[in-house]
Amino acid sequence: MTAEQRFSQRARRLLDATPLLAQADTTLVQQLGVRARRRLLPLRQQCIDGEEMRQRIFFVVSGSFHLLRQTPDGEEVLVSRYGPGDFFCLAAAFSGSGPLGYAVNTSPAQLLSWALRDFQALMRTDSSLGERLLHQMAWQVEQERQMRTLLCCCRAENRVAAYLLYRRQACRPQPDDAQLDLKPLSLTAAELGLARETLSRCLHRLQRQQIIQCQRGQVRILRELGLRLLVGTGAEAGQGMSLPDS
């Protein structure tokens, strides 16, 4: 099997699992397939600028991305993370403009993308596509809501444990021993409302307990039950966390 065939199979499997295309009409899938453009980003830290994000819709087939923006004083702020199976810039299909900021891949990545005008043309000819887009956006908003509930945790270690479980769940259907890329740790810490040093201490403590393995910002979960027990402790203390079942 060629690399192109492997890519196509993986992309189709991921797309079929999304709310956008789950049980979609074959004609719609074929029309999207014809209009899709494959993009390879073999190096880390390659940028998709704001201009391109206003003109295209993206789907992550492999790798991971950060959506970033700069504050007026020049500080870089993490807005969202995207991994395999995630779309970004979907709202542009309705608003006609992309998100503020830019996207950067944090690992070698492969994307599919569509010209915004192609999506809008399909929406005019297939009334179900607009509704499917809304379902997809609602699903991704719910994933983000679950992430935001982590900020309700008082204890840093409970918060980090819940975050790792959330990221692990978002990675499926990748293998259970897949690594979670938390780099740069400064942005991950900011996302959790923690100091970078606090995040590092929590990861080191979890590693000493043989719950995770961590090296240079790459985390592999060794005992998922250990993380869930920590999250359960936080929930019993009234933290209000909600995580999907494995």
Side-chain angles (χ1 to χ4, degrees), residues 136-177:
Q136 180 70 40
M137 291 167 65
W139 181 82
Q140 292 188 191
V141 166
E142 174 59 19
Q143 302 305 301
E144 185 69 14
R145 185 197 66 78
Q146 290 184 11
M147 172 62 213
R148 297 305 174 190
T149 62
L150 302 182
L151 298 180
C152 298
C153 303
C154 293
R155 290 188 57 203
E157 191 168 340
N158 294 98
R159 193 181 304 182
V160 172
Y163 177 76
L164 292 175
L165 284 172
Y166 169 84
R167 289 287 305 277
R168 179 69 200 90
Q169 194 69 23
C171 282
R172 291 188 169 118
Q174 293 187 59
D176 284 343
D177 63 350

Side-chain angles (χ1 to χ4, degrees), residues 206-220:
L206 291 171
Q207 181 163 257
R208 285 205 315 268
Q209 297 171 12
Q210 298 184 332
I211 294 175
I212 66 169
Q213 185 179 67
C214 182
Q215 185 174 19
R216 296 181 179 178
Q218 299 282 341
V219 171
R220 177 177 284 113

Side-chain angles (χ1 to χ4, degrees), residues 20 28 48 57-58 73 138 150 164:
L20 179 67
L28 174 60
I48 301 174
I57 289 173
F58 300 89
D73 59 2
L150 302 182
L164 292 175

Side-chain angles (χ1 to χ4, degrees), residues 56-75:
R56 303 193 70 82
I57 289 173
F58 300 89
F59 180 75
V60 184
V61 177
S62 66
S64 57
F65 288 81
H66 288 169
L67 178 61
L68 305 167
R69 64 177 176 84
Q70 283 193 332
T71 62
D73 59 2
E75 182 182 356

Side-chain angles (χ1 to χ4, degrees), residues 115-153:
L116 181 57
R117 62 179 179 274
D118 287 341
F119 246 88
Q120 292 171 329
L122 283 174
M123 287 170 63
R124 288 192 291 269
T125 59
D126 187 332
S127 59
S128 72
L129 181 57
E131 185 175 344
R132 286 177 172 277
L133 277 171
L134 290 174
H135 282 307
Q136 180 70 40
M137 291 167 65
W139 181 82
Q140 292 188 191
V141 166
E142 174 59 19
Q143 302 305 301
E144 185 69 14
R145 185 197 66 78
Q146 290 184 11
M147 172 62 213
R148 297 305 174 190
T149 62
L150 302 182
L151 298 180
C152 298
C153 303

